[in-house]
Amino acid sequence: MFDMENVLLRLALQKSGRLSEDSLNLISRCGIKMNNGLGTLKTSASNFPMEFLFLRDDDIPGYVADGVADIGIVGENVLFEKNKLVMEVHKLGFSKCRLSIAVPREVNYKGVSDLNGKRIATTYPRILQRFLDENGIEAKIHEISGSVEIAPNIGLADAICDIVSTGSTLFTNGLKEVETVFRSEAVLIGHPHLSETKQQILHKFLFRIKAHQTAQNNKYILLNAPKESLETIIKILPGMKSPTVTPLAQEGWVSVHSVIDENDFWDKIELLKDAGAQGILVIPIEKMII
Ligand code: PRT
Ligand code: ZN
């Protein structure tokens, strides 16, 4: 299918952790079949010129910068903390989280200047330092490699700066979130100087990623409407170009097919019902190329 002189684009993935499942899912949604690689360091794809390296997420920016891997999937938190020379190619929309400062619940925190002179434990010293500098705060950063949330309880620090998702880890450790330092999601990163052939493969991969993301953000909608409401209904449903309208066997009724954005889905359904639409069907879209 591809005649690319046997060049393979090497993608670095997290071996096991919070990014792994969604990364593998994305690859599969792009129609790329990975040869069985469970437990191995490296595997290839059977139907796409791609090879996969399984690594710790912290090592991914470095390997991509050095050219050991051509592209990688990593959290923006790790990308910015590692500060390696790589390109941020595309945001992937999963593994969303934030890096926040938290203090013991009983502390009467009034604002960022309360952090002056305090000790803050974190595994993200670089991102935290930038936040402190931007806010003109002088605090002491304690870099630790894990279990940051216990630092205040054992007297190691007055505050922490750590990844928060649901907030339950902070809660169970008697901490409260007081400042958001950084928002993160998984991103596709790339080596800054890929060969022409590798860039072409990356292009194909990106095209598939975007088709999958667009499909995820849209729904296919089918409904029946009385002919006299058609004009109103078409205004509510702009669709990709214009909706498909076909007559129904029942006199005076038509069937309307279109695509709607996931974000204004519920508002549009209300409006469509009010306009006289009936038998509304909403169907997920597998791929969408616009
Ligand atoms: O072994 P390896 O080094 O590869 O993995 P890791 O243990 O360093 O990373 P991993 O798998 O935990 O996370 C990978 C990436 O997922 C992170 O770099 C973030 O970009 C993203 N991510 C999304 C998260 C979370 N959500 C998350 N909740 N990373 C970590 N957490 C931890 C956080 O450190 C804290 O301990 O979960 C806890 C907080 O969660 P809540 O839900 O209780 O608030
Ligand atoms: Zn890690």
Side-chain angles (χ1 to χ4, degrees):
M1 193 166 43
F2 289 98
D3 180 22
M4 300 219 175
E5 304 129 31
N6 298 322
V7 173
L8 301 176
L9 188 70
R10 226 181 222 192
L11 167 62
L13 298 168
Q14 188 188 26
K15 188 173 173 64
S16 109
R18 289 186 165 88
L19 293 160
S20 310
E21 194 181 331
D22 286 328
S23 302
L24 293 178
N25 196 24
L26 177 73
I27 289 159
S28 138
R29 291 279 171 186
C30 288
I32 300 174
K33 291 201 174 66
M34 191 184 280
N35 295 319
N36 190 1
L38 282 183
T40 61
L41 175 69
K42 197 171 94 169
T43 187
S44 53
S46 59
N47 60 352
F48 196 77
M50 189 171 263
E51 212 172 28
F52 310 94
L53 287 186
F54 300 101
L55 302 166
R56 285 202 57 191
D57 67 344
D58 315 70
D59 296 333
I60 292 176
Y63 278 116
V64 171
D66 295 346
V68 174
D70 301 306
I71 57 173
I73 295 179
V74 74
E76 288 174 299
N77 50 320
V78 170
L79 176 63
F80 283 86
E81 187 60 36
K82 299 293 173 195
N83 195 28
K84 300 283 181 188
L85 195 65
V86 296
M87 298 183 302
E88 185 169 339
V89 179
H90 191 68
K91 288 189 196 282
L92 298 173
F94 59 80
S95 295
K96 288 193 174 169
C97 57
R98 53 196 187 273
L99 195 59
S100 291
I101 295 179
V103 299
R105 203 177 298 143
E106 60 281 6
V107 168
N108 178 19
Y109 183 87
K110 290 183 290 303
V112 69
S113 60
D114 288 3
L115 297 172
N116 264 316
K118 297 290 191 300
R119 297 163 304 161
I120 311 175
T122 190
T123 37
Y124 296 91
R126 187 172 178 273
I127 300 178
L128 174 58
Q129 188 63 61
R130 191 185 64 176
F131 173 83
L132 296 174
D133 291 347
E134 278 170 5
N135 286 280
I137 303 297
E138 290 208 19
K140 180 150 176 41
I141 298 179
H142 260 286
E143 184 177 352
I144 53 177
S145 58
S147 304
V148 176
E149 64 281 357
I150 63 166
N153 291 325
I154 59 171
L156 184 70
D158 306 300
I160 65 162
C161 175
D162 199 14
I163 303 270
V164 183
S165 167
T166 61
S168 75
T169 304
L170 293 183
F171 184 80
T172 51
N173 285 281
L175 301 169
K176 63 179 177 187
E177 194 175 351
V178 292
E179 302 286 346
T180 305
V181 169
F182 187 79
R183 287 188 188 278
S184 175
E185 65 184 84
V187 280
L188 186 69
I189 58 171
H191 183 71
H193 306 291
L194 290 177
S195 71
E196 190 68 26
T197 316
K198 288 188 173 179
Q199 283 184 38
Q200 282 172 19
I201 306 172
L202 175 57
H203 239 86
K204 286 180 195 290
F205 184 42
L206 258 182
F207 178 80
R208 295 184 187 196
I209 291 176
K210 288 177 184 166
H212 163 62
Q213 287 179 328
T214 316
Q216 256 191 338
N217 296 336
N218 286 277
K219 296 272 179 278
Y220 193 74
I221 181 166
L222 299 97
L223 57 87
N224 295 334
K227 259 187 186 154
E228 63 269 19
S229 341
L230 192 57
E231 210 176 310
T232 323
I233 285 179
I234 288 177
K235 279 200 191 113
I236 303 169
L237 282 178
M240 286 213 274
K241 280 211 170 66
S242 68
T244 309
V245 180
T246 46
L248 287 182
Q250 191 181 343
E251 191 58 36
W253 282 75
V254 288
S255 162
V256 182
H257 299 198
S258 189
V259 169
I260 59 174
D261 190 316
E262 171 89 350
N263 291 323
D264 29 76
F265 176 76
W266 290 109
D267 290 343
K268 292 243 160 131
I269 296 291
E270 290 292 318
L271 292 173
L272 289 168
K273 275 175 60 189
D274 293 347
Q278 291 182 10
I280 304 176
L281 280 183
V282 177
I283 303 169
I285 300 172
E286 173 68 27
K287 299 283 183 297
M288 187 164 153
I289 290 92
I290 42 177

